[in-house]
């Protein structure tokens, strides 16, 4: 392998806006990595995700093209 080709990889503390803390690997030159959202506060993982049908567009498409 070539020398000085790959970036330095280190393990840092990650702090989420919700207050959750965990450790992860990164090539960024920081000691603490701050993120806005994580798996503990993301709606998909917490089960609070809402699926919104934008104005019945799917139903109007089915009516227009004869699908039931």
């Amino acid at each position: 392998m070539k020398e000085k080709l790959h970036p330095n990889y280190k393990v840092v503390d990650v702090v989420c806006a919700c207050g959750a803390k965990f450790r992860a690997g990164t090539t960024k030159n920081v000691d603490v990595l701050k993120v806005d959202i994580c798996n503990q506060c993301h709606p998909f993982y917490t089960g609070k995700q809402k699926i919104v049908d934008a104005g019945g567009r799917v139903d109007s498409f089915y009516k227009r093209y004869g699908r039931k």
Side-chain angles (χ1 to χ4, degrees):
M1 289 179 41
K2 292 184 179 180
E3 294 291 324
K4 300 181 182 178
L5 177 68
H6 300 285
N8 293 331
Y9 183 80
K10 62 181 180 176
V11 178
V12 297
D13 293 324
V14 180
V15 180
C16 179
C18 70
K21 296 179 183 178
F22 55 93
R23 296 184 57 80
T26 183
T27 57
K28 293 184 111 179
N29 192 16
V30 294
D31 294 328
V32 176
L33 188 63
K34 296 180 181 179
V35 295
D36 294 332
I37 198 160
C38 67
N39 65 334
Q40 294 180 7
C41 61
H42 192 281
F44 179 78
Y45 297 112
T46 59
K48 296 178 183 177
Q49 182 178 16
K50 296 179 183 176
I51 299 174
V52 178
D53 184 14
R57 291 184 180 189
V58 175
D59 293 330
S60 65
F61 176 82
Y62 286 154
K63 286 178 186 176
R64 186 179 309 142
Y65 293 105
R67 281 189 151 179
K68 293 183 181 180

